[in-house]
Amino acid sequence: MEKISGMGKETSEISDHIKLHIENGKILSLKTHRVSKSVEEHIKEAVGLILDRLTYPTLVPTLYTIIKELAINACKANQKRVFFEERGYSMLNPSEYAKGVREYREMFSEEMSNEFGIKAKKKGYYCLINFKYNDDGILIEVINNTPIAKEEEKSIRERLEKGMMYDDIAQFYIDNADTSEGAGLGLALILIMLKGEGIDPNFFRIIIGEDSTIARLEIPLSENFVSSRESN
């Protein structure tokens, strides 16, 4: 990871489940299939090196927590896709989708995550974490190359709306302690964490495509920062 400041392009296999790509010291990508301790460490190191270089080290804990949450969500989405495929469930059929999600949640474990992470890799499913940065700001994208069901898209929108309603994490936990959507609350917490750092939560978006889902976070660091929304 120390080569982050180097010029040119470099791609290397860090382990059997994570690939690192660096380009011109301004773009860094991590590609993985499951979030292991090794992946967590490399995410944290990447965030630390980038923010240290941009002289914003105080953002490391928040940014690391957010990216880790998004990466876990992306890998679980891919693993859930494999689970559905193995059992012949359709993500487009509401009743089959509900049944599959229920079974997946009941069976999920760390061991299962490792097993299905390997299966996802064999099927070509991945989680890609992209960092693009300069002195004006940082663009982070966490991408998984599987589509999502309409029910899941609706749930994501609801979680984001809920997050917009809160500014205090403690109050959020109190009000949602008994929710059945514990895993999905991470999206709402991301918005609250951004507010706590003085970052407009509107810089965080979930972009849903036909064959991929992108979680995009922009961090302005100067008045010259141009959002991807404005530049498109």
Side-chain angles (χ1 to χ4, degrees), residues 44-173:
K44 191 170 187 176
E45 188 173 1
V47 171
L49 287 168
I50 291 171
L51 290 176
D52 184 62
R53 180 173 179 176
L54 299 176
T55 65
Y56 280 85
T58 56
L59 276 177
V60 170
T62 295
L63 206 50
Y64 163 69
T65 301
I66 290 173
I67 296 171
K68 176 183 171 182
E69 174 69 22
L70 294 174
I72 290 173
N73 287 348
C75 289
K76 283 185 176 179
N78 290 343
Q79 292 167 18
K80 184 168 66 178
R81 166 68 60 164
V82 175
F83 182 85
F84 271 60
E85 290 174 352
E86 287 189 348
R87 281 155 179 76
Y89 294 152
S90 171
M91 299 190 77
L92 301 178
N93 183 304
S95 62
E96 289 188 11
Y97 176 79
K99 181 180 180 182
V101 168
R102 184 172 61 254
E103 291 182 7
Y104 178 77
R105 288 177 177 171
E106 291 174 351
M107 294 177 61
F108 186 80
S109 65
E110 187 63 30
E111 182 179 346
M112 179 179 171
S113 176
N114 293 335
E115 175 190 349
F116 277 78
I118 294 171
K119 290 180 178 181
K121 181 178 182 180
K122 290 180 179 179
K123 285 179 172 286
Y125 299 146
Y126 58 78
C127 166
L128 181 65
I129 307 170
N130 289 331
F131 300 85
K132 186 175 181 180
Y133 53 98
N134 56 38
D135 292 339
D136 295 324
I138 307 170
L139 170 65
I140 300 161
E141 291 184 333
V142 179
I143 306 165
N144 65 293
N145 61 333
T146 55
I148 65 173
K150 290 295 183 182
E151 289 83 355
E152 196 166 355
E153 179 177 354
K154 179 182 177 182
S155 179
I156 286 174
R157 301 304 178 195
E158 290 175 350
R159 293 165 195 166
L160 293 175
E161 288 179 11
K162 180 174 287 188
M164 284 293 193
M165 297 166 57
Y166 289 85
D167 295 315
D168 182 78
I169 290 179
Q171 188 60 50
F172 176 81
Y173 271 121

